[in-house]
Every structure is written in structure tokens, then in C-alpha cells.
Amino acid sequence: MKGLRRSMLFVPGNHPGMIQNADIYGSDSIIFDLEDAVSLQEKDSARLLVKHALRKIDFGETERVVRINPLDTGCGTQDLKMMVAAGPDALMIPKATARRLIEADLMVGEIEAALGGNRQPLAFIPIIESAVAVEEINELLKASSRIVAALLGGEDLTADLGIQRTKAGDELLYARSRVAMACCACGVDAIDTPYADTMDDEGLAKDTAKGKTVGFTGKAAIHPLQIEVIHRVYAPSEAEIHEARQIIRAMKQAEREGKGAVAVDGRMVDAPIILRAEKLLQQAKAMGVHDMTDNVNGGA
Ligand SMILES: CC(C)(COP(=O)(O)OP(=O)(O)OC[C@H]1O[C@@H](n2cnc3c(N)ncnc32)[C@H](O)[C@@H]1OP(=O)(O)O)[C@@H](O)C(=O)NCCC(=O)NCCSC(=O)C[C@@](O)(CC(=O)O)C(=O)O
Ligand SMILES: [Mg+2]
């Protein structure tokens, strides 16, 4: 469904078989990768392949994102020129910094103006994968009004820091919290770094929950089997939905009775708790796990 970005599946841009069926696995977004999944020798052919796929294949409601090469390389500039014309929903910009995003915004604006027509401005999803990007995150997210989300790049970030990437992920705690907080402040989606072990569902679920806990709204995937796990973790649980409905019902009852404060199961319910319950029910509705009319009518 376009709109949600719980799961974003990386698909190598040099693999026609994977590209062709990329939407059947149910991820909210597909990221056609022209960067790290494609060798230097295959950059030109991958660019052409992705361009034709965008023009000829109907990927339904799935958001179509292209990860270009870094814009300080010749490949990146060529990717950008061809992809703006091919018309994906968003460009994913690796090795992002505030300055590079300002430059990208200008370049894309010029290409869009030259192409003419009634185009939606192309959206940007920068990858935060250097110490500089983490430290300038607020400036970076404000560098272009095209930015709709940001992805944390754990592999490149730990490489930049010269530290080990572990399954437990303690080394990413600061960057995760900082990026998720800044994304919320700037009103864009926060997408967590992919989990590299495609055979370890339990590890993936734990890692996804870690990101969700600090405020990420979705996670990148590198294999179709990861999508269901990610969706399961991001879906509000039945218990959470039940509690949120109880809170909304109690609040409506209190309003009818002209009471300010209200308690649910002995716990005081006030404005932030009501706001959180409303947000949770909205998310559940967007994910198709809860009918919002229950909320509106105060029913169970
Ligand atoms: C790992 C593997 C080779 C395994 O392939 P295998 O074929 O052995 O897997 P199988 O299990 O046999 O596949 C069963 C069926 O699913 C199909 N299938 C598999 N994967 C699919 C897929 N992704 N999309 C569509 N279809 C797929 C397959 O075609 C087959 O279909 P069929 O033949 O019809 O049965 C494959 O998944 C893969 O290439 N993944 C993407 C890798 C990639 O893009 N990495 C770069 C992005 S991350 C990155 O860069 C992060 C970061 O930027 C951030 C940071 O900084 O942290 C960084 O810097 O690191
Ligand atoms: Mg990377």
C-alpha cells in the first residue's frame, strides 16, 4: 500500500529475475539498487535495466525507489539524470550530507524543469551512513523539501567509525536514537538499517523491535523472507489495540460525564496517553489490523 513504509526491500538493479517479481512479496517499498549490490562493470547495464523496468512494469501500489550511486562519482550523476526521467517515486541518496542533498535538489529541479510537464517533485530518501551525517542530521533533513524519509546505514556507519557491527547492535544505539528522533522532529519516516543474516528470523525480529522501540517507523530488508517478520514486529499487538480502545472509550465516557481525569485498570489516563492510543489505532488501521470505526464510535 503506497503511504506506509514499514518494509523497504532492496533489489539488486542488475538482476532482471528479481526485479520482475519484486512487488509480489508484499513489501511497502522496493529499492532498485544501483550502488553496492552492483559491480562497477555492471553499472551501465543495471541503470538501463532499472530504467526499462520503471517504464514497462506495473509494480502496483508498491512504492518504487531507486538507490543511485554517490553523487560525487560519475556513476551517481549519470544515475540521477536517467532516473529522474524514468520517474520512480523516490531517489535513495547514499553517503548523504546536507551539502550533497542541497546539490542533488538543485540538479533534480533543473532536470525536472527541462523535462517539463506536470511532474510531482521527485522525493528523496537519504542514507545516514557516516559520523558526519549523524552529527548534522537536523540540518541534513532540512536540506531539501523533497525528503520524505531517511534510512540508517549501519554497515557503512560502523565502517566509518572503524568499529565492529554486531548482531546485538549496541554500537548503533546512539545513531539509531539520534536519527529516529530527528526524523520525528522533521516529520519524515525513519527507516532502520537492514539485518544482514537472511536465515536468522529470531535475530531479525529482535533487531527490528530494537529499532521500533527508539522510534523507527520501518526497516529495510534484503531478502523477501524478512518482510513478514518486519511487518509482524511493526503491527500493533492485539493487547495494545485492546488497551488503546479501552482508553479511548474511557476518555469519551469521561467527556460525556464532564470529568477531566479518568482511570483505566487503575492507571490514570491523561492527554499524552490518549494521544498515544489514538496514534496506535491510526497505525493499526493503516496496516489493516483494526477498523477505525470502533475508535470513532467508542465501540470495542
Ligand atoms: C542475499 C541474496 C544474494 C540471496 O539471494 P538468493 O537467490 O541466494 O536467495 P534465495 O533464498 O535463493 O531466494 C529465494 C527467491 O527470492 C528471490 N530473492 C532473493 N532476494 C531477493 C531480493 N532482494 N529481491 C527480490 N527477490 C529476491 C530469489 O530470486 C529467489 O526467487 P526464485 O528464484 O524465483 O525462487 C539476495 O537476497 C540479494 O541479492 N539481496 C539484496 C542484496 C542487496 O541489495 N544488498 C545491498 C543493499 S543493503 C545495503 O547496501 C545496506 C547499506 O547501504 C546500509 C548500511 O550501510 O548498512 C550498506 O552499506 O550496507
Ligand atoms: Mg551503505
Side-chain angles (χ1 to χ4, degrees), residues 131-182:
V132 167
V134 173
E135 287 304 308
E136 64 170 22
I137 185 71
N138 290 309
E139 192 191 344
L140 186 155
L141 292 178
K142 289 176 189 152
S144 165
S145 57
R146 298 172 185 273
I147 297 173
V148 293
L151 169 68
L152 177 67
E155 292 297 347
D156 272 296
L157 178 61
T158 47
D160 189 33
L161 291 167
I163 58 175
Q164 289 301 317
R165 174 99 193 262
T166 66
K167 279 197 163 182
D170 292 341
E171 68 284 359
L172 288 181
L173 190 58
Y174 169 74
R176 273 183 162 146
S177 303
R178 179 109 192 238
V179 169
M181 186 77 70

Side-chain angles (χ1 to χ4, degrees), residues 35 67 93-96 127-131 133 151 153-154 156-157 160:
E35 197 207 14
R67 176 164 76 167
I93 302 187
K95 318 291 182 298
I127 311 187
I128 313 304
E129 49 187 352
S130 67
L151 169 68
D156 272 296
L157 178 61
D160 189 33

Side-chain angles (χ1 to χ4, degrees), residues 84-106:
V84 177
D89 298 308
L91 281 188
M92 180 167 273
I93 302 187
K95 318 291 182 298
T97 62
R99 186 180 54 77
R100 286 183 188 160
L101 286 164
I102 292 169
E103 287 166 9
D105 186 292
L106 283 172

